[in-house]
Amino acid sequence: MKFILHNLHMIWARLSNNGWVLAELFLVFIVMWFLCDSLGCMKYTFYRPLGYNIDHVYRLTMIQGGENRDTTLLNADKFLNILKKLELEPTVEAASLSYWSLPMSGANSYNTLTVQDTIERNGRMIYATGGYTRVFRMQENSGRVFASLPIGINNVMLSQAVVDYFKKRVPEFSLNTPLAWRGDTVNTVTQGGIVGSFRDYRYGNDAYWIFMRLGEQFIREEFGDQWAQIVFRVKPAADGPDYREQFLREIAPRLDTDNIFVADAEPYTQMQAQFEVLYGDTDKVNSQAIVVLFLLGNVFLGLIGTFWVRTRRRRSEIALRLAMGSTKRQIFFLLVGEGLLLLALVTLPAMVVCYNVGVGEFTIGRTALIATWPVEWSIIRFLLGSIGAWLLIALMVMMGIWYPARQAMKVEPAEALHED
């Protein structure tokens, strides 16, 4: 306590000089909080789990060429034949056929479900065969899996985000609650289960998806000659850097059906990278990272420079303290303590400003200032950003004091006093 009071007295005695330092630290804290918040949200968004797994997952690239050898076959029949043969391959763990339903593909289909005729939720429709959730290893209740969902347009499974949306508006909502398609007052939609929370893509929010299982006859009747997508999961022991080449050489020729041929098996991790580039996420991340690092570098140099110059100007004071019997260790801790106390004095008012900026951003506009990343605003997020900002600034203050103070202490006290 005596140490703190002594430093407060020193700060007050030099208030005219310290006022500018306090103002600088106040502004630097706000900027640093924003930088820490941005970097933290960026890393959290990048590394948090998707909610499904795309490792060892491949998507078939198929091409159609020449005339039909069997004119009785629809494209649906050919795709189903490819799927059946693919599922029999020893290296394949699971496979699925779908229409406009793959994550990170850019092809989408939407529809709207209603509860009690007034509560609506628009969601992405997932038209897929039963192996879809196994291929992507989505979270399911063991007693209500997608593969056992009855076939038909009035049987669905909902993603957790859709369920949570309805529960907020209808507290008694459950798996037994009847649903309806918007505009359909005759048919009732039955829920078959819930698929755990996941995101459409790495930088997206929790996905609002509505799953519908496809059967062979349903595919023929409803999709006919439309183009399908086929994905499959390879057993981990069979997968490797050369699997794609091996697949095209040994397996793909066996899958060809009539005039539809398998041209490639693209790893889904590669699809993810391509999607993020095309969707603009890669550019957004790179731009934000460059801006953040540029500002961080400028703050770093500016703050260190301020305390560097401030410490060098106190050579005579350091010399006098050495002459009066203070040790170098005591002087160093005195200077660092003063710098950290200056930071502590501005921390609370700066945090108030930061908190109000954050609340205002999420309440008023959700512009690109802070709400760039899909991370929910919370006290924990605010405190983590504040702690990170305080520690970084404290490190800069110590670095700005340490070297010039060390150089000043090497000078003989009499010499320094004589120069002064």
Side-chain angles (χ1 to χ4, degrees), residues 140-172:
E140 300 176 278
N141 186 307
S142 58
R144 290 176 176 265
V145 295
F146 180 61
S148 64
L149 180 71
I151 295 167
I153 60 173
N154 294 319
N155 298 288
V156 300
M157 285 182 70
L158 305 179
S159 68
Q160 187 65 52
V162 178
V163 174
D164 292 342
Y165 177 88
F166 282 136
K167 280 186 176 181
K168 285 181 180 179
R169 289 151 184 81
V170 183
E172 64 273 16

Side-chain angles (χ1 to χ4, degrees), residues 126-418:
I126 304 301
Y127 303 106
T129 56
Y132 186 93
T133 52
R134 286 185 58 214
V135 169
F136 292 106
R137 290 188 177 174
M138 292 179 161
Q139 304 171 48
E140 300 176 278
N141 186 307
S142 58
R144 290 176 176 265
V145 295
F146 180 61
S148 64
L149 180 71
I151 295 167
I153 60 173
N154 294 319
N155 298 288
V156 300
M157 285 182 70
L158 305 179
S159 68
Q160 187 65 52
V162 178
V163 174
D164 292 342
Y165 177 88
F166 282 136
K167 280 186 176 181
K168 285 181 180 179
R169 289 151 184 81
V170 183
E172 64 273 16
F173 183 85
S174 69
L175 285 176
N176 298 318
T177 302
L179 307 171
W181 299 114
R182 184 171 64 181
D184 186 348
T185 57
V186 178
N187 297 301
T188 298
V189 178
T190 303
Q191 300 178 63
I194 299 173
V195 178
S197 295
F198 60 90
R199 292 171 289 144
D200 297 74
Y201 62 107
R202 186 148 46 193
Y203 301 103
N205 293 306
D206 286 347
Y208 295 98
W209 283 13
I210 302 167
F211 294 77
M212 185 182 299
R213 189 166 78 90
L214 304 180
E216 293 186 14
Q217 190 59 33
F218 188 89
I219 291 173
R220 295 187 184 98
E221 293 174 357
E222 298 296 327
F223 297 96
D225 283 327
Q226 296 192 63
W227 202 258
Q229 295 81 44
I230 295 178
V231 290
F232 62 100
R233 171 173 290 278
V234 178
K235 296 175 181 177
D239 199 8
D242 60 343
Y243 180 81
R244 186 179 190 178
E245 181 182 343
Q246 176 191 345
F247 180 91
L248 295 176
R249 185 178 62 253
E250 300 176 5
I251 301 175
R254 297 199 293 267
L255 303 181
D256 297 339
T257 300
D258 199 69
N259 64 337
I260 293 183
F261 308 95
V262 175
D264 196 5
E266 183 180 13
Y268 222 91
T269 50
Q270 183 175 305
M271 276 186 59
Q272 180 187 41
Q274 293 171 350
F275 177 80
E276 289 173 359
V277 171
L278 292 173
Y279 205 69
D281 287 321
T282 300
D283 288 340
K284 183 169 67 173
V285 169
N286 291 340
S287 299
Q288 177 116 350
I290 290 170
V291 170
V292 168
L293 292 174
F294 175 77
L295 291 174
L296 187 61
N298 278 272
V299 169
F300 180 80
L301 294 174
L303 195 60
I304 284 182
T306 296
F307 279 89
W308 190 298
V309 172
R310 186 172 179 274
T311 303
R312 283 185 62 85
R313 286 179 177 175
R314 299 173 66 177
R315 289 180 71 219
S316 59
E317 178 191 340
I318 293 172
L320 182 59
R321 289 184 179 276
L322 287 171
M324 296 296 293
S326 296
T327 65
K328 293 179 180 181
R329 182 184 179 87
Q330 288 173 332
I331 295 173
F332 176 74
F333 279 114
L334 181 69
L335 295 173
V336 170
E338 184 182 352
L340 295 180
L341 190 56
L342 285 168
L343 174 59
L345 291 173
V346 303
T347 297
L348 187 58
M351 285 178 65
V352 171
V353 173
C354 294
Y355 183 79
N356 281 281
V357 168
V359 170
E361 175 70 13
F362 277 77
T363 304
I364 298 171
R366 289 191 65 84
T367 63
L369 178 62
I370 296 174
T372 304
W373 310 106
V375 180
E376 184 179 353
W377 174 254
S378 64
I379 291 293
I380 293 176
R381 171 179 167 180
F382 166 70
L383 290 177
L384 288 174
S386 299
I387 292 170
W390 198 94
L391 291 175
L392 280 175
I393 297 173
L395 180 62
M396 294 176 190
V397 168
M398 294 175 67
M399 290 178 66
I401 292 172
W402 172 74
Y403 187 76
R406 183 169 174 268
Q407 293 298 106
M409 291 175 195
K410 289 181 179 180
V411 179
E412 290 297 325
E415 182 184 344
L417 292 171
H418 177 70

